[in-house]
Amino acid sequence: MPLNILLISYNYTPELTGIGKYNTEFCEYLAEEGNKADVITGFPYYPNWKLFKGYENAYYEKEELNGVNVIRCPVYIPAEPSGLKRMAMDFSFYCSTLLVVIKKIISRQRYEVVFVPSPSFLIGIHILMLRFFWRKTKFVYHIQDLQIDAALELGLIKNPWLKNGLLKLEKLILEKSSIVSTISEGMRAKVTAKSAVAQVVYVMPNWVDDKVIYPCKVNVKVIAELGIPAHKKIFFYSGSIGEKQGLEVLLSIAPKLSLACPDLVFVISGSGPYRAQLQLEVLRKQINSILFIDLQPSNIFNQLLNSVDCHLIIQKKQAADLLLPSKLTNILAVGGLSIITAEPETSLFEIVQKNNLGLVIEPENEESLLESIQQVYTSLALNKDSEMILEIKNNAKAYAAKHLNKKSIIDSFLNYVEEFQLK
């Protein structure tokens, strides 16, 4: 039976990465399968923290994109996001979307499911209000990132009154949602620890669209046009360039590797609040082995994923168990080799170690990162993969095929929602 679903989130297409990517793929899949999908979202800004061309962000705007009805709401977008500015952004989006939600209530629109991804966790407040008007609706609060926990770990929230208030509000949203879901077992454990009421948490992992990301033969010309040297050994980072990643470590180890690994080049593909700062440091230190490129459309991105020699998933200790990097799913889908920073007992560490999907090292350990890169480079310099590397690559492809298929993940979730009985 077709469902009528409303998604509320400030991230949606044409954003290529992060939560917007998954929101878009989720809603477009719903529409393809004959469901009715409506979206209340903001104007695209991520990961550049800059409004995309063609959007004004001054008024409300409606559009239909691939069968999905989209309402865009104005939102404050800070050019240099800080903890306080991000909270202001969340509040501005809550206020602008509130007007749209109220209009839907007055016009007596109804939905079988309201799907609210977090962040922004504040959008969960809509669930608290809508329960009074749409009593037969199932409200899904889907946690992509534990926003408050991340802010606390990174020291962005220091006021004890604000901290306690936000945690109590988060707990209330969790307890009043019909279904709480998240993306990993580690995240589920953290969510269930927050409330004695919200103990049943569904795990819906981030997926890979195997029609978009898949193993392929690389077009060397396409890669060369990006300014990436074909004869070098490429160690690749793709994604947001922000405080959680700790990419400044590459600026420290790149000069140390210049003699032992002369053909090594780090390629950083992405945008974010810290990219300009990193680029300036690279220029100041005259580091020739670090290149920056922009995020690429999916067809070129797939070529990139298949062409590089080793992928880097780097993040700081504080962020290690708060989010499972979505970039890992793409790497696994193409059978890529990766060096991953993760602490023991975190979701990322357990998944990679249990299934032998990559080389796992301690976060913020420069020596371990340097040694791992040298180890991989030495093997690559001999123009052959070691048995260890071949096993990792094969395991990666097998894991992606079994656990990360978009259709099976979304279908399983929809079946769970349809069978769920309201409290």
Side-chain angles (χ1 to χ4, degrees):
M1 180 179 175
L3 291 173
N4 190 7
I5 299 180
L6 173 66
L7 181 142
I8 310 174
S9 172
Y10 52 36
N11 297 109
Y12 201 70
T13 191
E15 295 177 356
L16 297 173
T17 63
I19 296 173
K21 170 185 179 293
Y22 292 105
N23 287 342
T24 304
E25 292 179 358
F26 178 67
C27 290
E28 291 184 353
Y29 179 81
L30 292 174
E32 289 171 4
E33 294 297 306
N35 302 284
K36 184 178 185 297
D38 291 349
V39 173
I40 301 175
T41 188
F43 289 85
Y45 71 93
Y46 187 83
N48 300 321
W49 291 88
K50 182 179 180 181
L51 191 66
F52 282 34
K53 290 182 179 180
Y55 293 93
E56 294 184 359
N57 195 25
Y59 306 99
Y60 292 87
E61 183 178 300
K62 292 183 180 180
E63 54 185 334
E64 183 178 327
L65 300 171
N66 295 323
V68 179
N69 299 310
V70 179
I71 298 177
R72 296 196 185 272
C73 305
V75 56
Y76 164 64
I77 303 172
E80 297 181 2
S82 63
L84 185 61
K85 289 179 179 179
R86 290 191 187 203
M87 285 188 279
M89 174 184 177
D90 289 357
F91 184 70
S92 74
F93 185 62
Y94 168 75
C95 292
S96 65
T97 55
L98 179 61
L99 297 178
V100 179
V101 169
I102 290 174
K103 185 177 179 180
K104 287 184 176 291
I105 293 172
I106 294 173
S107 63
R108 298 189 177 183
Q109 286 186 260
R110 293 288 188 273
Y111 294 92
E112 281 83 37
V113 179
V114 173
F115 189 89
V116 179
S118 173
S120 159
F121 99 95
L122 276 183
I123 301 304
I125 298 175
H126 289 319
I127 292 175
L128 306 180
M129 180 184 70
L130 287 171
R131 283 178 62 94
F132 289 100
F133 299 97
W134 298 344
R135 296 188 179 275
K136 294 183 179 180
T137 298
K138 298 173 184 178
F139 296 96
V140 181
Y141 188 59
H142 181 64
I143 301 171
Q144 283 274 0
D145 191 349
L146 286 165
Q147 190 178 19
I148 300 174
D149 290 36
L152 291 173
E153 292 286 348
L154 293 171
L156 301 178
I157 300 176
K158 299 179 180 179
N159 185 296
W161 292 94
L162 178 60
K163 169 187 171 182
N164 292 334
L166 292 175
L167 289 172
K168 287 180 180 179
L169 179 57
E170 180 188 45
K171 181 180 178 182
L172 183 62
I173 293 170
L174 290 172
E175 295 178 350
K176 294 301 181 181
S177 299
S178 309
I179 298 171
V180 177
S181 60
T182 190
I183 61 174
S184 71
E185 291 292 342
M187 294 275 278
R188 172 158 64 180
K190 283 185 169 287
V191 174
T192 54
K194 290 175 175 289
S195 169
V197 176
Q199 287 297 299
V200 179
V201 177
Y202 183 88
V203 174
M204 181 173 68
N206 289 331
W207 55 78
V208 176
D209 188 341
D210 58 9
K211 296 179 181 177
V212 178
I213 303 297
Y214 52 88
C216 71
K217 184 177 180 180
V218 177
N219 185 332
V220 178
K221 183 179 178 181
V222 170
I223 304 304
E225 288 175 351
L226 297 174
I228 300 175
H231 61 287
K232 299 287 187 177
K233 306 302 180 187
I234 305 302
F235 285 66
F236 183 61
Y237 173 88
S238 176
S240 177
I241 304 174
E243 189 172 353
K244 291 177 184 176
Q245 284 70 43
L247 291 175
E248 60 274 6
V249 68
L250 297 182
L251 278 64
S252 176
I253 68 174
K256 298 176 182 178
L257 291 165
S258 59
L259 291 178
C261 309
D263 290 330
L264 185 152
V265 172
F266 294 105
V267 175
I268 300 175
S269 172
S271 301
Y274 291 91
R275 171 169 166 164
Q277 181 178 330
L278 288 177
Q279 285 180 292
L280 286 174
E281 283 296 299
V282 168
L283 288 173
R284 187 180 68 83
K285 295 181 178 181
Q286 297 182 334
I287 303 174
N288 298 321
S289 58
I290 298 181
L291 302 178
F292 290 84
I293 63 173
D294 293 333
L295 290 170
Q296 302 298 315
S298 57
N299 59 327
I300 297 178
F301 181 57
N302 189 54
Q303 293 271 330
L304 261 174
L305 289 174
N306 281 274
S307 69
V308 302
D309 297 289
C310 184
H311 302 264
L312 300 175
I313 297 181
I314 300 174
Q315 55 186 358
K316 292 185 176 180
K317 288 182 179 180
Q318 298 97 322
D321 200 34
L322 299 179
L323 63 160
L324 189 67
S326 58
K327 61 179 70 68
L328 176 60
T329 61
N330 292 325
I331 296 169
L332 298 178
V334 300
L337 170 67
S338 54
I339 297 173
I340 303 162
T341 64
E343 292 187 283
E345 299 183 4
T346 62
S347 299
L348 180 57
F349 183 93
E350 295 294 338
I351 290 173
V352 175
Q353 282 287 84
K354 179 181 177 181
N355 300 281
N356 190 21
L357 304 177
L359 302 175
V360 189
I361 62 173
E362 181 184 5
E364 300 182 53
N365 187 326
E366 182 178 315
E367 184 177 346
S368 292
L369 181 58
L370 190 147
E371 289 178 356
S372 297
I373 291 173
Q374 283 184 315
Q375 177 186 1
V376 172
Y377 177 88
T378 299
S379 178
L380 295 172
L382 297 174
N383 294 316
K384 65 177 182 179
D385 288 341
S386 65
E387 289 185 11
M388 177 194 70
I389 292 177
L390 285 173
E391 183 178 357
I392 288 173
K393 289 182 174 182
N394 290 332
N395 290 343
K397 282 189 285 189
Y399 184 90
K402 184 176 181 180
H403 298 287
L404 302 177
N405 180 267
K406 182 181 79 169
K407 176 176 172 56
S408 62
I409 289 173
I410 297 178
D411 284 349
S412 296
F413 175 73
L414 293 177
N415 290 335
Y416 180 83
V417 170
E418 288 185 347
E419 295 170 0
F420 186 87
Q421 297 296 317
L422 285 175
K423 301 173 184 177

